[in-house]
Amino acid sequence: MGQQEKVATSIAGAVSAEISASLAPVDAELARRYPGDPGTRQPVHTVYVPGDVFDAGTVRSWGDQALAALDEHAPDAASLAKVLGLSDELAGPVHERVRAKLEREPVEDLRIDFEDGYGPRPDAEEDAAAARAARLVQEAFANGTAPPYLGIRPKCLEAPVRERGIRTLDIFLTGLLESGALPEGLVLTLPKVTYAEQVTAMARLLAAFEEARGLAAGRIGFEIQIETSQSILAADGTATVARMIEAAGGRATGLHYGTFDYSACVGVSAAYQSSDHPAADHAKAVMQVAAAGTGVRVSDGSTNVLPVGPTAQVHEAWRLHYGLTRRALARAYYQGWDMHPGHLPTRYAAVYAFYREGMAAAAGRLAAYAARTGGDVMDEPATAKALSGYLLRGLDCGALDDDEVAVLTGLTRDDLEGFAVPRRGALTVTAP
């Protein structure tokens, strides 16, 4: 045994206690504002379907149309790899998993749209459509045909459509409760938010509904769509989006970038409106920093270039969509919008390639960290959290399998969840 070191201190214990007491309000504020990621599954995309188009067969129809497009334009692994530039090693597993996903769970998150995709209608017509949507959603969750996440996007809270948006939301939520409980996986989206006060108003609406129906306070959360320049930068120069998260009072679950509304708002001409435009990058970077640590997820927008027509045209649209999706994933935007069934093959191809090509390296680094064996990279707890989160996201969407990750890491899923603090949980209505 070596020489025992003499330990001496100079600061009195009372000083430490005084400092802790002085920082107690900061500790509480940090815990309130930055609780960390909720640890629930985040869908890789959101699909929007107009309120009068959605029906009980919508999800399966999207899957069947996507499979038909894959069979027609990339029927085997080699042809898909050629279109998207996949390596030989990735081609087979990606093509196989894309097909399986489209057969098993073609849509992860679906929003029944009563806003831009639905437009202005007579009140009686929208009333009936909202009630119908509630019935279909409740039935879908009850019989197991619903995607993991499903809900509506009502009209916004701007003056011209405010009453209509509130009424549609009320009819939908009331209809759900009249035929059962609020489903797990329910998601609401508030569009065209400009001022934090509109977010406060949405939170007040939901609180009033909860009180009227005897629900627990805070039971219902909602996403905020970032579609205007004012939602990023306020007139006084502050970051409005950060104020919106605070204004939601803990109900905000996501920030969704609206590619075309935002682009038009800042003057980008139609030919250049895309999720990789510098204006889009700036908006999403502000969203990302504002949401970091709050438990609010960030979603990228969409492309309006549809994969339809002759094969050459479909391939061109697929390459665009695949490239935009891969770009978003590298920038930590793990969710985006898909506007057409033909986007599903390249959504999943991009996601699966992203996780499969990095699986071995991430698993190796995490295994070395867990075993304290080091390696050629010195990782820290924050990196272990990122590595485990990467693998868990891959598992959640079907890119990776539990068995292969366990073989590469020597860790169970519970072990991975232990590194991804806070612990990941089951689906909840307030955390899409």
Side-chain angles (χ1 to χ4, degrees), residues 91-313:
V94 167
H95 189 269
E96 177 184 347
R97 286 170 187 270
V98 168
R99 283 201 61 88
K101 181 73 167 181
L102 296 176
E103 292 168 354
R104 181 186 74 255
E105 187 184 75
V107 175
E108 293 196 359
D109 183 28
L110 189 147
R111 210 67 71 251
I112 305 168
D113 191 21
F114 287 93
E115 203 232 354
D116 284 349
Y118 185 77
R121 308 287 181 96
D123 283 339
E125 182 178 342
E126 185 160 339
D127 283 354
R132 173 178 171 272
R135 174 177 58 82
L136 291 173
V137 167
Q138 193 66 272
E139 289 174 358
F141 277 113
N143 62 28
T145 60
Y149 300 98
L150 176 61
I152 69 165
R153 178 173 72 169
K155 291 177 173 63
C156 69
L157 292 179
E158 292 179 348
V161 294
R162 182 180 300 142
E163 290 188 12
R164 181 64 262 178
I166 292 172
R167 182 172 174 82
T168 295
L169 181 64
D170 189 6
I171 291 171
F172 176 73
L173 291 176
T174 301
L176 288 178
L177 285 180
E178 290 295 316
S179 56
L182 290 183
E184 297 296 323
L186 173 68
V187 189
L188 306 175
T189 305
L190 178 64
K192 292 184 174 57
V193 182
T194 303
Y195 285 86
E197 288 80 1
Q198 293 166 328
V199 175
T200 301
M202 181 66 165
R204 288 178 60 191
L205 276 174
L206 296 177
F209 182 86
E210 290 164 349
E211 183 177 359
R213 301 297 305 214
L215 300 175
R219 175 73 173 90
I220 310 171
F222 61 97
E223 301 170 334
I224 302 168
Q225 281 202 281
I226 305 301
E227 301 178 90
T228 66
S229 62
Q230 295 90 345
S231 62
I232 294 295
L233 191 68
D236 62 1
T238 59
T240 318
V241 65
R243 293 172 53 206
M244 289 177 179
I245 293 173
E246 176 69 10
R251 295 180 185 270
T253 60
L255 301 174
H256 283 232
Y257 176 69
T259 305
F260 303 101
D261 281 286
Y262 187 88
S263 296
C265 184
V266 297
V268 179
S269 61
Y272 297 97
Q273 292 178 353
S274 175
S275 61
D276 61 352
H277 190 279
D281 285 341
H282 171 260
K284 287 180 287 187
V286 174
M287 292 162 58
Q288 188 175 50
V289 173
T294 65
V296 177
R297 269 75 176 266
V298 174
S299 173
D300 198 2
S302 62
T303 175
N304 60 359
V305 179
L306 304 184
V308 297
T311 295
Q313 186 172 320

Side-chain angles (χ1 to χ4, degrees), residues 46-65:
T46 301
V47 163
Y48 282 75
V49 178
D52 57 337
V53 173
F54 176 78
D55 60 32
T58 293
V59 172
R60 187 62 265 156
S61 174
W62 272 60
D64 290 343
Q65 291 179 68

